Every structure is written in C-alpha cells, then in structure tokens.
C-alpha cells in the first residue's frame, strides 16, 4: 500500500497593513499555535485547528491600533490559500463535507464543496450583537468570504437559531473545521479526482 503524501503547506503574506504566516497539515491531530493580535480570532482559530484535527500555526502582526479588519480579512485570505495548496490536485478526496455543531443555545451547519468555485452562502438567522468584547462581529462574514474565495470552495454557513453571539460564532468555526475535515478525507473508492470534468483545480 502506497504511503499517503503529507498534505502540508506554508504561506506568508506581507503588506503595509499586515504580516501573516500560516502553516497547516491537513492530516494532523489538533496541535495549534495561534497568535494574531486579535484575541477573539485567536480563540476561534485555535478551536478551528483543534476540531478539524489539523496541525497548524497562525501568526499575524497587523494594524490593530486602527481596528481588527485588515488582520481578520488577511488571515482568511492566507488560511484559504494554505488549505488550497495543501490539497494539491485533490485526487481521492471525498470533496463534499457537512457538519452540524451545537453550542448550548446555538446550532450551526457548514457545508463544503472543494469545487474550485468560490462561493459563500451566509445564512445566519439570529441577529448578532455588534461586538464580542472589542471584536466587531461583522468581520466574521468578511473572514469567511475571503476564506472561501482563496480556498476556492463553496462554503454554506447556516445558523437557524441561537441567542448568544459568542456561542453562534464559535459553533460556526467548529462546524467549518469539521466540514473541511470531512471534505478532505481520502476515500479509497474514489479513483482520481471526484469530478466528471476530470479536475478540481
């Protein structure tokens, strides 16, 4: 039996606004090192890595003295690029992933298609509070959209109910991790790329 090639990537992105470095092993065990300068995103990204059973390191240095927008957006960009690169030609993967995650009062569902067609469908029914601590919650949509764009995935985020904003966002990140882990698993029944087109890149 041929040993599976390690699915790992590392990307750095430096601009006048942020310096982002992300590395990720899709076939890990949940080991995380996260330091972004945005405490709420540190929490979300830490649990993203742990619940996706990835191994990852996410380091950011951004203009958070202005606000958290550039840093959060750029982490989404680089994390998406890293996952896309780590997946390579996508041969043998399941391609589709689906996860439901409850977090006390909140329920989130995330559905993924590693299709090479970027699309975010963001159906969060409860009204989020404007801030969790000092973090602007509108940045969650910004992060997810840039992530979907750069990972070149369909990402459908559905939250039918919930009243605690922290719980809602945490459930989204855990469900995103679980859905990606589901989609990128190797299925021995899949021969080549799971597409009638013959490629997903």
């Amino acid at each position: 039996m041929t040993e599976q090639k390690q699915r790992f990537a590392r990307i750095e992105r430096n601009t006048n606004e942020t310096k982002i470095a992300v590395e990720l092993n899709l076939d890990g065990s949940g080991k995380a090192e996260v330091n972004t300068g945005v405490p709420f995103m540190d929490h979300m990204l830490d649990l993203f890595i742990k619940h996706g059973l990835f191994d990852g390191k996410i380091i950011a240095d951004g203009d958070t003295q202005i606000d958290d927008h550039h840093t959060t957006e750029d982490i989404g960009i680089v994390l998406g690029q890293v996952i896309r690169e780590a997946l390579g030609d996508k041969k043998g993967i399941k391609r589709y992933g689906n996860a439901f995650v409850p977090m006390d009062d909140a329920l989130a569902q995330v559905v993924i298609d590693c299709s090479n067609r970027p699309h975010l469908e963001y159906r969060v029914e409860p009204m989020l509070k404007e801030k969790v601590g000092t973090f602007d919650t509108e940045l969650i949509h910004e992060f997810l959209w840039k992530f979907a764009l750069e990972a070149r995935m369909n990402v459908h985020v559905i939250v039918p109910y919930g009243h605690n904003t922290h719980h809602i966002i945490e459930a989204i990140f855990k469900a995103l991790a679980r859905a990606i882990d589901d989609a990128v698993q190797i299925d021995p029944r899949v021969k080549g790329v799971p597409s009638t087109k013959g490629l997903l890149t």
Side-chain angles (χ1 to χ4, degrees), residues 16-102:
N16 291 333
E17 296 167 343
T18 64
K19 293 178 175 59
I20 313 289
V22 177
E23 59 184 56
L24 200 73
N25 178 3
L26 295 176
D27 304 300
S29 60
K31 296 175 184 175
E33 180 182 345
V34 181
N35 186 358
T36 69
V38 181
F40 187 73
M41 285 302 293
D42 284 354
H43 179 38
M44 293 301 110
L45 294 166
D46 181 63
L47 60 85
F48 170 82
I49 292 170
K50 282 183 168 61
H51 288 272
L53 293 173
F54 314 125
D55 288 339
K57 183 176 181 180
I58 302 174
I59 306 297
D61 181 16
D63 55 2
T64 53
Q65 75 279 5
I66 299 173
D67 65 12
D68 297 334
H69 185 111
H70 294 143
T71 302
T72 302
E73 178 183 30
D74 289 2
I75 292 168
I77 289 170
V78 181
L79 182 60
Q81 290 172 344
V82 162
I83 289 178
R84 183 182 178 199
E85 183 173 314
L87 271 173
D89 59 14
K90 303 176 185 172
K91 286 182 179 178
I93 67 166
K94 290 173 63 177
R95 176 176 167 176
Y96 302 100
N98 181 31
F100 288 89
V101 171

Side-chain angles (χ1 to χ4, degrees), residues 2-176:
T2 305
E3 186 177 343
Q4 182 182 320
K5 182 180 177 182
Q6 188 181 48
R7 298 184 297 172
F8 171 88
R10 185 180 194 280
I11 292 176
E12 291 188 26
R13 182 177 189 267
N14 297 322
T15 72
N16 291 333
E17 296 167 343
T18 64
K19 293 178 175 59
I20 313 289
V22 177
E23 59 184 56
L24 200 73
N25 178 3
L26 295 176
D27 304 300
S29 60
K31 296 175 184 175
E33 180 182 345
V34 181
N35 186 358
T36 69
V38 181
F40 187 73
M41 285 302 293
D42 284 354
H43 179 38
M44 293 301 110
L45 294 166
D46 181 63
L47 60 85
F48 170 82
I49 292 170
K50 282 183 168 61
H51 288 272
L53 293 173
F54 314 125
D55 288 339
K57 183 176 181 180
I58 302 174
I59 306 297
D61 181 16
D63 55 2
T64 53
Q65 75 279 5
I66 299 173
D67 65 12
D68 297 334
H69 185 111
H70 294 143
T71 302
T72 302
E73 178 183 30
D74 289 2
I75 292 168
I77 289 170
V78 181
L79 182 60
Q81 290 172 344
V82 162
I83 289 178
R84 183 182 178 199
E85 183 173 314
L87 271 173
D89 59 14
K90 303 176 185 172
K91 286 182 179 178
I93 67 166
K94 290 173 63 177
R95 176 176 167 176
Y96 302 100
N98 181 31
F100 288 89
V101 171
M103 180 69 192
D104 295 346
D105 54 284
L107 178 69
Q109 180 186 15
V110 176
V111 186
I112 296 289
D113 178 8
C114 302
S115 60
N116 202 40
R117 296 190 307 275
H119 181 82
L120 172 66
E121 200 64 39
Y122 185 77
R123 303 291 181 94
V124 177
E125 297 299 329
M127 184 71 69
L128 300 182
K129 291 182 180 178
E130 289 186 5
K131 288 184 178 290
V132 175
T134 61
F135 183 79
D136 294 318
T137 60
E138 67 177 4
L139 296 178
I140 297 303
H141 181 278
E142 192 70 25
F143 171 89
L144 291 168
W145 163 232
K146 294 303 165 52
F147 172 82
L149 186 66
E150 296 297 334
R152 298 196 65 80
M153 291 179 177
N154 280 195
V155 179
H156 288 241
V157 177
I158 304 143
V159 180
Y161 55 82
H163 61 79
N164 181 286
T165 296
H166 187 132
H167 292 170
I168 292 167
I169 297 171
E170 183 164 333
I172 289 171
F173 271 83
K174 287 177 177 176
L176 177 66

